[in-house]
Amino acid sequence: MRIVVAHNRYREAQPSGENTIVDAEIAQLTAAGVEVLPFIRSSDEIPTMPKTAKALLPVSPIYAPRAQQELSRLITEHRPDVLHLHNPYPLLSPWVVRTAHRHGVPVVQTVHNYRQVCSSGLYFRDGMICQDCRGRALGVPAIVHRCYRGSRAQSALMATTLAVHRPTWRSVDRFIALTSAVAEHLRDYGIPAERIVVKPNAIPDPGRPAPLGTGFLFLGRLSPEKGLDLLLDAWRRHPDGALGPLRIAGDGELRPLVEAAAAERADVTFLGPLDRAGVRAALSASAVVLATSTWHDVLPTVIIEALAAGRPVLGTALGGIPYLVGAATPRLPAGTGPATAASA
């Protein structure tokens, strides 16, 4: 069997569970004897692109001509049985679904976020859960609030992309929803239930867990929806050292906030961005992993890695967090703010 795995990698400077899962799935499929044809682009390519290619970037979410040409050549040469799509933005475009179908290749997509509806993909705005664009033909609220990259122009382009590609997404042959909540999101979008399967992500077994370390670990993207301000505010309510050490690893727009906290308190350490070996070492050194997301985080890879490493998880009761840690929490109505639950 031959599978094209199509994915636009997120920038390596920022931790991406999605990148990790795609790499793991390619390795698992290959080990199982499946011929994998990676069709991978990276957002890290953008700064080095020639001026002509950069000029086309604004429209690439709608239609990326280079990606369609390259995919057509790949399919013509190798005749794959299926295309498995993860993230198409910005360099692949959802148009790869149409390109695959034009060649008679069925398409499966793993849904890692809510970007069929939400321009940011998060259902999160101004520190709160937001579903203002849900059910709209065009996401005007996303444009008004500059939800995509803080730009009204880019938000207008992404909202237009989502409107243009509504038929594209509805033509996908099978969706892989990571949780039952994501399956419900897809049904609400208009996808028939028989075209949705629920399959959580997985990672390779890392082996026997190391003995518990000390303190708490936050590992992930340093951005508002991950709840870092909530975490640090709670930490500051206790005397320095009273809770034990807090280690924070990752990178992103809130890095200055974390660096300031580390300079201010002896019990906060900023580890910076980590490679895979660094992630394993940080997990081994810690006793508890924190998942403080204040959005409906679909299925945080850090929790899967923590549980595989034998580390308990303390997290908010949002998105896939209770799905993974087993907390029995009530369903939260749309538009509610963060609620917390703990599980170990």
Side-chain angles (χ1 to χ4, degrees), residues 45-56 66:
E45 299 172 24
I46 293 174
T48 60
M49 284 181 172
K51 290 182 179 180
T52 52
K54 285 184 179 179
L56 294 174
R66 176 186 165 192

Side-chain angles (χ1 to χ4, degrees), residues 10 89 112-124 130 147-148 158 162 185 221 295-298:
Y10 297 90
Y89 299 111
H112 296 272
N113 54 43
Y114 307 103
R115 194 163 269 160
Q116 288 81 15
V117 175
C118 175
S119 290
S120 73
L122 304 177
Y123 276 154
F124 185 87
C130 169
C147 290
Y148 187 65
M158 183 54 71
L162 299 186
H185 155 75
R221 189 170 62 251
W295 70 294
H296 286 300
D297 209 337
V298 173

Side-chain angles (χ1 to χ4, degrees), residues 5-72:
V5 175
H7 178 54
N8 190 128
R9 294 182 69 85
Y10 297 90
R11 291 187 297 115
E12 295 299 332
Q14 294 194 13
S16 166
E18 194 170 331
N19 285 352
T20 300
I21 291 300
V22 171
D23 292 342
E25 287 194 355
I26 289 174
Q28 290 164 352
L29 287 168
T30 302
V34 175
E35 184 180 351
V36 177
L37 305 169
F39 186 64
I40 309 292
R41 299 292 298 274
S42 172
S43 292
D44 285 328
E45 299 172 24
I46 293 174
T48 60
M49 284 181 172
K51 290 182 179 180
T52 52
K54 285 184 179 179
L56 294 174
L57 277 176
V59 298
S60 63
I62 297 176
Y63 180 75
R66 176 186 165 192
Q68 310 321 309
Q69 294 164 6
E70 292 176 347
L71 180 59
S72 289

Side-chain angles (χ1 to χ4, degrees), residues 78-316:
H78 295 281
R79 304 307 307 168
D81 298 287
V82 66
L83 182 143
H84 186 176
L85 175 63
H86 291 269
N87 172 45
Y89 299 111
L91 300 178
L92 298 184
S93 164
W95 207 282
V96 296
V97 176
R98 302 188 188 193
T99 299
H101 282 163
R102 180 164 56 85
H103 288 273
V105 177
V107 176
V108 173
Q109 193 207 9
T110 295
V111 180
H112 296 272
N113 54 43
Y114 307 103
R115 194 163 269 160
Q116 288 81 15
V117 175
C118 175
S119 290
S120 73
L122 304 177
Y123 276 154
F124 185 87
R125 174 174 61 82
D126 296 335
M128 296 291 292
I129 291 168
C130 169
Q131 296 184 345
D132 288 354
C133 293
R134 184 177 173 184
R136 293 176 178 263
L138 179 66
V140 174
I143 302 170
V144 172
H145 297 290
R146 300 179 174 90
C147 290
Y148 187 65
R149 297 182 176 176
S151 164
R152 184 163 290 168
Q154 291 192 59
S155 297
L157 177 62
M158 183 54 71
T160 302
T161 298
L162 299 186
V164 167
H165 282 298
R166 188 171 290 110
T168 306
W169 291 127
R170 289 178 176 172
S171 75
V172 169
D173 299 275
R174 189 64 57 90
F175 286 94
I176 298 175
L178 301 183
T179 67
S180 54
V182 176
E184 183 178 341
H185 155 75
L186 290 169
R187 289 192 296 269
D188 181 69
Y189 183 68
I191 306 300
E194 62 269 18
R195 283 165 50 200
I196 304 169
V197 296
V198 177
K199 184 193 79 66
N201 289 329
I203 62 169
D205 186 346
R208 187 176 182 85
L212 282 180
T214 59
F216 299 83
L217 173 67
F218 175 97
L219 173 65
R221 189 170 62 251
L222 307 184
S223 53
E225 73 277 2
K226 291 295 186 178
L228 269 172
D229 52 349
L230 178 71
L231 169 61
L232 292 174
D233 180 64
W235 209 260
R236 289 187 180 100
R237 297 184 185 188
H238 299 271
D240 198 326
L243 300 176
L246 169 63
R247 303 177 187 92
I248 300 176
D251 205 355
E253 62 187 285
L254 295 187
R255 179 169 180 158
L257 181 71
V258 178
E259 291 175 332
E264 171 190 329
R265 297 179 61 106
D267 59 354
V268 177
T269 301
F270 178 47
L271 302 178
L274 302 176
D275 58 14
R276 300 311 306 163
V279 168
R280 289 191 295 270
L283 287 169
S284 295
S286 301
V288 179
V289 172
L290 301 172
T292 55
S293 292
T294 51
W295 70 294
H296 286 300
D297 209 337
V298 173
L299 201 75
T301 304
V302 65
I303 296 181
I304 303 173
E305 293 176 314
L307 297 178
R311 295 317 187 244
V313 176
L314 178 67
T316 50

